[in-house]
């Protein structure tokens, strides 16, 4: 079974500091893709970053980067120089092969303190 | 601004009513999705349409009836819903089905409340 686990229901970070959100997944597939989505109170799910499993290099998008540990099946999100606008629910998500059945983790609520 | 537009933003209906949720995208995407999201929970996939044909139905009760009239529009027809169906309903689209790394673009959702 393909499952995604986010073990931190809530996290908080001081503005301008760095925070890391954890995600682990369980899969027997060799061809899969991992995503982090952000859902602010406005409700829209916004793609933050994505990683193809076959790529060894960790994905980076401006202040957002991932630590992809394939052997450990770990896919953590690092947010640098946190901003108030980063406050949201963050979901780790997974799809595999030619499948668009996206599986989400339970989410981590991030609070940014001024 | 969202590229996937959902209407209405809020809907309150009785258990005997019939209503429809609408979703529209003009990005040329050929895959469209309906998700259900309960409060403080992740989205759960309901349906996937690929090239206007239903490709995935995640064992959703028949009181939810999807329809894809054309490549830009996706409807979700509601009939005889139960109070437990109250949730945020999210629509999403991606360029293609069958390409796993395609990110999905989400709308703002419709907040549905069943009385």
């Amino acid at each position: 079974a393909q499952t995604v686990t986010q073990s931190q229901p809530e996290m908080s970070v001081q503005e301008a500091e760095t925070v890391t959100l954890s995600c682990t997944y369980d899969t027997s597939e060799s061809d899969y893709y991992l995503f982090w989505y952000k859902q602010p109170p406005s409700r829209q799910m916004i793609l933050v970053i994505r990683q193809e499993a076959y790529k060894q290099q960790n994905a980076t998008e401006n202040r957002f980067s991932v630590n992809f540990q394939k052997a450990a099946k770990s896919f953590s999100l690092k947010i640098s120089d946190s901003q108030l606008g980063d406050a949201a629910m963050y979901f780790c998500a997974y799809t595999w092969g030619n499948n668009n059945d996206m599986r989400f983790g339970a989410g981590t609520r991030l609070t940014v303190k001024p | 601004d969202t590229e996937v537009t959902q209407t209405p933003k809020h809907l309150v209906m009785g258990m005997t009513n019939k209503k429809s949720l609408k979703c529209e995208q003009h990005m040329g995407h050929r895959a469209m999705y309906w998700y259900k999201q309960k409060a403080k929970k992740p989205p759960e996939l309901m349906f996937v349409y690929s090239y206007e044909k239903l490709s995935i139905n995640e064992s959703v009760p028949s009181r939810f009836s999807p329809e894809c009239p054309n490549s830009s529009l996706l409807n979700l027809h509601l009939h005889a819903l139960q109070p437990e169906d109250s949730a945020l309903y999210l629509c999403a689209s991606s360029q293609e089905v069958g390409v796993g790394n395609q990110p999905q673009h989400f709308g703002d959702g419709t907040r549905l409340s069943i009385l």
Side-chain angles (χ1 to χ4, degrees), chain A residues 37 39 43 50 95 100-101 105, chain B residues 37 58 98 100-101 103 108-109:
Chain A
Y37 279 89
Q39 188 177 39
R43 309 183 322 200
R50 62 176 161 172
T95 63
N100 288 83
D101 184 358
Chain B
Q37 186 179 23
E58 291 285 358
N101 67 343
D108 288 342

Side-chain angles (χ1 to χ4, degrees), chain A residues 6-94:
Chain A
Q6 293 179 249
S7 59
Q8 306 153 316
E10 296 184 359
M11 292 282 285
S12 70
V13 62
Q14 205 71 34
E15 194 176 6
E17 297 293 310
T18 295
V19 65
T20 298
L21 308 184
S22 301
C23 173
T24 58
Y25 57 93
D26 184 23
T27 184
S28 57
E29 301 288 335
S30 58
D31 179 24
Y32 58 90
Y33 312 91
L34 298 161
F35 306 83
W36 278 98
Y37 279 89
K38 164 185 176 182
Q39 188 177 39
S42 64
R43 309 183 322 200
Q44 187 191 6
M45 297 277 285
I46 302 165
L47 178 68
V48 175
I49 200 166
R50 62 176 161 172
Q51 174 86 42
E52 288 89 348
Y54 63 83
K55 290 186 177 179
Q56 293 186 335
Q57 188 171 6
N58 289 326
T60 299
E61 288 286 344
N62 300 316
R63 297 183 295 108
F64 299 88
S65 62
V66 299
N67 184 3
F68 176 45
Q69 300 288 326
K70 191 171 183 177
K73 297 181 180 176
S74 170
F75 181 62
S76 59
L77 174 70
K78 185 171 84 171
I79 306 174
S80 304
D81 186 24
S82 297
Q83 300 176 358
L84 295 177
D86 295 333
M89 195 75 167
Y90 285 80
F91 291 101
C92 179
Y94 161 95

Side-chain angles (χ1 to χ4, degrees), chain B residues 89-106:
Chain B
Y89 288 84
L90 292 165
C91 174
S93 70
S94 65
Q95 281 189 318
E96 296 178 42
V97 169
V99 182
N101 67 343
Q102 293 291 322
Q104 295 182 19
H105 299 255
F106 286 82

